[in-house]
Amino acid sequence: MIGTGMITTLAAQVPGFTRGPSWNLIADVQDMLSFTFMRNAFAAGTASAIVAGLIGYFVVLRESSFAAHAISHIGFAGAAGAVLLGFSPVLGVAVLSLVASGAMGVLGKRLRGRDVVIGLVMAASLGLGYLFISLYTGNAQNAYSILFGQIFGITTGAVLITIGTSVIVLAVLIAIFRPLLFASLDEEVAQARGIRVGAIAIGFMLLMALAVSEAVQVSGVLLIFALLVAPGAIAERVARRPAAALAISGGLAVLITWISLALAYYTPYPVSFYVTSLAFVGYLAARGWTAWAGRARRLVPPRREHNDAAVKAAETATVRT
Amino acid sequence: MRGTTQPVPPAGPPAVPGPAAVIDASGLASGYGGKIVWSGADFSVGAGEFLTVLGPNGAGKSTLLRMVLGLLAPAEGTLRVFGGPPERGNPGIGYVPQRRALDPDLSISAEDIVGLGVDGHRWGVRLSPRAGRQRREAVAEALAAVGAADYARRAVGRLSGGEQQRLQLAQALVTHPRLLLLDEPLASLDLRSQQEVSQLVADLRAEQGFAVVLVTHDVNPLLPVTDRVMYIAGGSVSVGTPDEVITSENLSRLYQAEVEVITDSRGRVFVVGLEAEAAHPHSPVTTAGAQS
């Protein structure tokens, strides 16, 4: 749940905020965490960042980042609708994105290449959300905060719900990790090996909906790409092992969130701006790094040239011994 | 289109029926949604046998593989795999589907792709160090067998198409299957690579003793290594040695059109469709089976 007053800059409201950092890391962290709203923001931000990073890696592997984006926008209609009906906007996001992702999971392959259809549903949902906001006579700040995120306003109750959701998502992710990885990398062989790829796809879409619902609190539906896709895309480029990729993706998402929270605390600018900027810079850095590493590898000549037959003969011999 | 198996009079090496057969089909028909694609197939594939499946695009070659994998039920007739009904996830079958382009940014190592073949279908995460060691050994052995040990730790996205294909093969063989199914492994390869891949599959079969069912639209690279061929065309199926099946009479019967088989000085066969010549004057000759 997001406090209505928090949409304006913190500087206007929080005593002690106007003071800049002391550049003593420990003192600054103590300073930040002396406020309940900052403790809540760090707790909920960390819990949702871990999930966004881990789910994000599979979003990138499965090439379903557009679906993730669309789900968050459909979730916005849910947020606005929930505000209109007097419920928590995050609950609205969760319900509608679960429904939308379930539908996408069931349609599965039939949606592949149907970007126009997904895009139109996404635009219609945004429009519907806008209508709900205009119908709402009270303070619509709640719904607007869903667009761009407002982690500083999160209540202690919402923090607990966020952490609980993260625990559930992590537990399911651990349980389906290997079949999900197999189905994400090679659906046909996975299916031949007896994996129910359809059920895995639906299950993953539901996990993604939960991750989206959590991450919108930090980055908002419009900026969800930053937290959900960028760390996964970086990990896909740099990590050789799946476990390392997940660690990098989750770790980066948490790091981006922490730095953004701290920067937003000491400056008058919003958290989601820092999240998107850091994610973008991180992705550029990863591209630069892989391009440089690839060039370096090409410049080093291979140790020995050999023909395939000789290698094969040698290797066959080793296998036999 | 309905049809029956064309009996081929001169008997080649007899198909091994009964429990020794890896695949046993009688009166088998393929199709979905009430539409029969081909029917009346009676054949069996013996242990360690190499069967090449030929036919034009859309003839239903890949659906045969899907039926053996238990992903598609036979439209008619019976199909038995290892003496029992086809089942999904049969560990005795290795499957290499048609190659698709991998994301060039995908930096997962070749080892991990092959490792999916070991335990990728299991629930949960791998915790036991012993299982991890066995997995590493199995992966290393499979990579060495297909000649891919050199790039075991490289990022798969940056490997060439041929290198990625060897990984697919290693992934399929890592569980030591008794039957290897390959769908168009020679598609979009140059002539030399086609021969290399054919020879690699033949060598691995000789070493490990698995049976091979290989789907292709060009039989020539496989003529030196295949035991028998299956030709699917015109809704019918014909099985036998290449000499028996790829003849002008037999293929004309299958296509229900006049077709001529020409053998060149190096033993390569070409199917010339006389009907197709009239329809496509610029491409009268196609390699065996590529006729459409």
Side-chain angles (χ1 to χ4, degrees):
Chain A
M1 264 154 284
I2 285 156
T4 48
M6 287 297 181
I7 198 77
T8 47
T9 62
L10 286 162
Q13 302 149 42
V14 181
F17 174 78
T18 45
R19 195 181 58 204
S22 66
W23 301 111
N24 174 339
L25 192 61
I26 294 168
D28 284 342
V29 168
Q30 277 173 348
D31 173 37
M32 280 192 286
L33 294 183
S34 66
F35 294 98
T36 310
F37 80 91
M38 280 308 281
R39 285 198 296 274
N40 281 346
F42 269 99
T46 307
S48 44
I50 292 171
V51 163
L54 299 187
I55 293 290
Y57 179 59
F58 290 102
V59 169
V60 172
L61 282 189
R62 300 175 68 85
E63 295 173 357
S64 45
S65 51
F66 188 58
H69 194 62
I71 282 170
S72 71
H73 283 59
I74 294 165
F76 172 68
V83 169
L84 192 60
L85 297 172
F87 296 108
S88 146
V90 175
L91 184 70
V93 173
V95 169
L96 221 61
S97 43
L98 279 172
V99 170
S101 60
M104 283 185 184
V106 170
L107 288 173
K109 272 194 184 142
R110 274 169 287 171
L111 274 184
R112 202 157 288 171
R114 299 288 177 87
D115 288 0
V116 172
V117 177
I118 298 177
L120 281 175
V121 172
M122 183 171 119
S125 306
L126 269 183
L128 202 61
Y130 190 44
L131 173 72
F132 290 157
I133 289 176
S134 63
L135 286 176
Y136 184 58
T137 48
N139 189 336
Q141 216 55 279
N142 265 349
Y144 280 116
S145 66
I146 287 293
L147 281 177
F148 294 104
Q150 190 51 296
I151 190 76
F152 283 141
I154 196 165
T155 63
T156 309
V159 170
L160 293 177
I161 293 172
T162 303
I163 293 174
T165 310
S166 289
V167 170
I168 293 169
V169 173
L170 285 180
V172 177
L173 198 57
I174 288 169
I176 68 169
F177 172 67
R178 283 187 284 189
L180 176 62
L181 184 69
F182 204 164
S184 304
L185 289 170
D186 200 334
E187 195 173 25
E188 273 185 272
V189 181
Q191 191 183 28
R193 287 301 302 272
I195 294 171
R196 300 275 166 186
V197 291
I200 291 282
I202 295 171
F204 176 72
M205 290 299 275
L206 296 178
L207 289 184
M208 187 163 87
L210 290 176
V212 163
S213 311
E214 289 188 57
V216 291
Q217 300 177 103
V218 181
S219 65
V221 294
L222 293 182
L223 310 176
I224 193 98
F225 237 65
L227 206 53
L228 196 63
V229 176
I234 294 169
E236 191 214 15
R237 295 188 76 91
V238 302
R240 285 284 182 279
R241 316 303 305 252
L246 287 171
I248 288 172
S249 188
L252 273 178
V254 169
L255 196 65
I256 288 172
T257 304
W258 283 357
I259 296 174
S260 301
L261 286 172
L263 289 173
Y265 176 80
Y266 285 114
T267 62
Y269 311 115
V271 180
S272 38
F273 159 71
Y274 289 116
V275 169
T276 49
S277 304
L278 287 172
F280 186 58
V281 169
Y283 181 69
L284 285 184
R287 281 202 79 109
W289 160 256
T290 46
W292 180 82
R295 213 174 80 89
R297 217 183 1 255
R298 274 196 298 279
L299 290 176
V300 178
R303 268 174 311 169
R304 59 203 160 97
E305 289 296 330
H306 39 229
N307 65 46
D308 279 355
V311 174
K312 201 158 69 62
E315 274 154 2
T316 326
T318 12
V319 174
R320 278 175 180 151
T321 49
Chain B
M1 270 188 291
R2 302 288 299 265
T4 52
T5 303
Q6 309 294 322
V8 178
V16 191
V22 170
I23 300 175
D24 204 355
S26 69
L28 184 65
S30 152
Y32 29 81
K35 186 172 162 280
I36 301 287
V37 178
W38 50 260
S39 59
D42 296 290
F43 67 94
S44 64
V45 177
E49 193 185 1
F50 198 129
L51 177 72
T52 300
V53 181
L54 296 161
N57 286 337
K61 302 188 295 282
S62 297
T63 51
L64 172 67
L65 299 188
R66 291 182 64 78
M67 285 194 288
V68 173
L69 286 166
L71 299 175
L72 185 72
E76 285 167 14
T78 59
L79 175 65
R80 300 186 78 74
V81 177
F82 307 134
E87 46 168 357
R88 293 169 61 118
N90 191 325
I93 302 179
Y95 174 49
V96 179
Q98 274 200 49
R99 202 146 42 85
R100 65 184 175 95
L102 284 175
D103 180 354
D105 289 343
L106 185 63
S107 67
I108 282 189
S109 73
E111 281 178 316
D112 280 294
I113 293 290
V114 177
L116 289 174
V118 180
D119 60 1
H121 59 291
R122 300 245 167 92
W123 295 110
V125 292
R126 186 177 51 255
L127 294 173
S128 125
R130 190 161 150 268
R133 200 170 53 245
Q134 285 170 344
R135 181 181 189 265
R136 271 195 303 280
E137 283 163 8
V139 167
E141 189 191 330
L143 282 168
V146 301
D150 273 7
Y151 40 91
R153 284 167 203 276
R154 295 258 307 278
V156 284
R158 269 164 240 135
L159 296 178
S160 73
E163 288 169 333
Q164 289 177 358
Q165 189 177 43
R166 284 181 189 234
L167 296 186
Q168 284 186 300
L169 200 52
Q171 188 192 57
L173 294 178
V174 75
T175 50
H176 300 289
R178 287 191 283 155
L179 170 63
L180 179 65
L181 307 178
L182 301 128
D183 198 350
E184 294 281 7
L186 308 182
S188 71
L189 291 179
D190 60 55
L191 206 61
R192 187 167 166 270
S193 311
Q194 288 185 351
Q195 285 162 354
E196 275 176 14
V197 171
S198 308
Q199 197 54 52
L200 176 62
V201 172
D203 290 348
L204 288 166
R205 173 183 76 131
E207 257 169 55
Q208 304 187 11
F210 50 77
V212 178
V213 176
L214 187 153
V215 167
T216 182
H217 58 267
D218 181 8
V219 73
N220 284 310
L222 294 153
L223 282 177
V225 297
T226 193
D227 295 323
R228 289 190 300 158
V229 299
M230 169 186 283
Y231 208 111
I232 306 178
S236 309
V237 176
S238 172
V239 184
T241 64
D243 289 344
E244 293 163 2
V245 172
I246 308 172
T247 64
S248 300
E249 301 74 41
N250 195 39
L251 294 192
S252 295
R253 208 160 43 201
L254 277 181
Y255 278 109
Q256 290 151 18
E258 213 167 326
V259 165
E260 193 170 349
V261 175
I262 295 170
T263 309
D264 76 357
S265 57
R266 295 164 67 182
R268 292 177 299 190
V269 292
F270 299 90
V271 177
V272 186
L274 301 180
E275 296 286 323
E277 188 176 18
H280 310 284
H282 300 297
S283 56
V285 176
T286 56
T287 47
Q291 138 128 34
S292 50

